[in-house]
């Protein structure tokens, strides 16, 4: 049996008619897109008030309930673990559902503690420009097995892009939020 190959002129250009040009181009485009999206952390960070107000307008009842739950976590007096300047304090005897940590303490979280087992909201206080040198990555997030929200509370005039640069972790189940609240 003799294999017959179609004849092609030597200088004939490769075009969609005579090759897999479209498939190859599409594969290259998809590969480049994936490469850039995976190399960039790309974690979405949303302004807190905007997130809550949009969630309240949702037609999905569970989204509205989640918005109310988040608002309660932030504004009500909940059982909390507070770590400030490396010192750990607790408020209430119930399982702790909220942790408030200053930037100084973020890399000093005790890994063997059970205080964080039920924490749903992690509030990270950013109080001065030097606090922007922290990095929120998987090692920090993994300290909180039930974490739903990471909330950056900036108490001076910082910018969204400065806060965005703090997150070195991409997770689709945890909501990353921020607000700029300058005390008067």
């Amino acid at each position: 049996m003799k294999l017959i190959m179609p004849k092609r002129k030597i200088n004939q250009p490769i075009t969609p008619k005579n090759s897999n040009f479209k498939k190859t181009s599409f594969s290259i485009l998809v590969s480049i897109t994936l490469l850039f999206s995976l190399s960039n952390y790309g974690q979405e960070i949303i302004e807190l008030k905007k997130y809550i107000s949009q969630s309240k307008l949702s037609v999905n009842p569970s989204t509205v309930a989640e918005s109310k739950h988040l608002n309660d976590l932030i504004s009500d007096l909940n059982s909390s673990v507070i770590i400030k300047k490396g010192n750990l304090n607790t408020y209430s005897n119930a399982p702790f559902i909220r942790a408030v940590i200053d930037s100084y303490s973020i890399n000093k979280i005790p890994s063997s503690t059970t205080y964080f087992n039920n924490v749903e909201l992690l509030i990270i206080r950013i109080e001065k420009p030097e606090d922007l040198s922290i990095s929120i990555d998987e090692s920090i997030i993994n300290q909180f097995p039930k974490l739903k929200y990471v909330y950056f509370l900036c108490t001076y005039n910082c910018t969204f892009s400065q806060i965005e640069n703090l997150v070195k972790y991409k997770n689709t189940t945890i909501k990353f939020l921020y607000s700029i609240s300058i005390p008067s």
Side-chain angles (χ1 to χ4, degrees):
M1 178 173 188
K2 187 175 184 183
L3 184 62
I4 302 174
M5 298 290 289
K7 291 187 179 182
R8 191 174 71 128
K9 294 179 184 174
I10 293 177
N11 291 328
Q12 182 180 5
I14 297 175
T15 63
K17 257 185 182 175
N18 62 7
S19 72
N20 289 330
F21 179 79
K22 287 181 181 178
K23 288 181 184 176
T24 305
S25 297
F26 180 75
S27 295
I28 291 171
L29 182 62
V30 168
S31 299
I32 290 172
T33 304
L34 282 173
L35 178 67
F36 282 111
S37 66
L38 292 175
S39 65
N40 184 2
Y41 295 107
Q43 178 66 49
E44 183 180 19
I45 303 173
I46 308 165
E47 200 277 323
L48 177 68
K49 287 180 184 173
K50 180 179 178 183
Y51 177 76
I52 289 176
S53 65
Q54 286 177 347
S55 297
K56 283 180 181 177
L57 298 174
S58 174
V59 293
N60 183 342
S62 65
T63 303
V64 174
E66 179 186 343
S67 164
K68 182 180 178 345
H69 179 65
L70 173 60
N71 197 42
D72 291 346
L73 280 173
I74 290 173
S75 54
D76 290 350
L77 294 175
N78 293 295
S79 57
S80 299
V81 175
I82 298 177
I83 304 177
K84 188 166 186 171
K85 302 213 185 293
N87 297 315
L88 187 141
N89 293 304
T90 60
Y91 294 91
S92 97
N93 294 326
F96 305 107
I97 59 173
R98 181 170 90 162
V100 181
I101 301 175
D102 63 356
S103 66
Y104 173 84
S105 306
I106 199 71
N107 292 317
K108 297 169 180 53
I109 297 173
S111 60
S112 61
T113 184
T114 59
Y115 290 124
F116 305 129
N117 287 350
N118 293 302
V119 169
E120 295 179 23
L121 171 66
L122 171 60
I123 300 173
I124 301 171
R125 294 185 56 84
I126 309 293
E127 298 172 342
K128 55 191 180 302
E130 297 79 33
D131 293 349
L132 294 168
S133 64
I134 64 169
S135 175
I136 306 304
D137 60 19
E138 192 171 2
S139 66
I140 292 169
I141 299 297
N142 287 341
Q143 299 286 332
F144 305 91
K146 293 187 178 177
L147 191 64
K148 294 180 181 179
Y149 311 98
V150 175
Y151 170 43
F152 296 97
L153 175 59
C154 190
T155 59
Y156 79 98
N157 197 16
C158 60
T159 65
F160 168 75
S161 62
Q162 290 172 315
I163 294 171
E164 186 178 44
N165 288 332
L166 301 176
V167 180
K168 306 294 187 229
Y169 180 67
K170 185 168 179 120
N171 184 306
T172 56
T173 59
I174 298 172
K175 302 271 190 277
F176 286 80
L177 307 160
Y178 78 97
S179 68
I180 300 168
S181 178
I182 303 169
S184 39

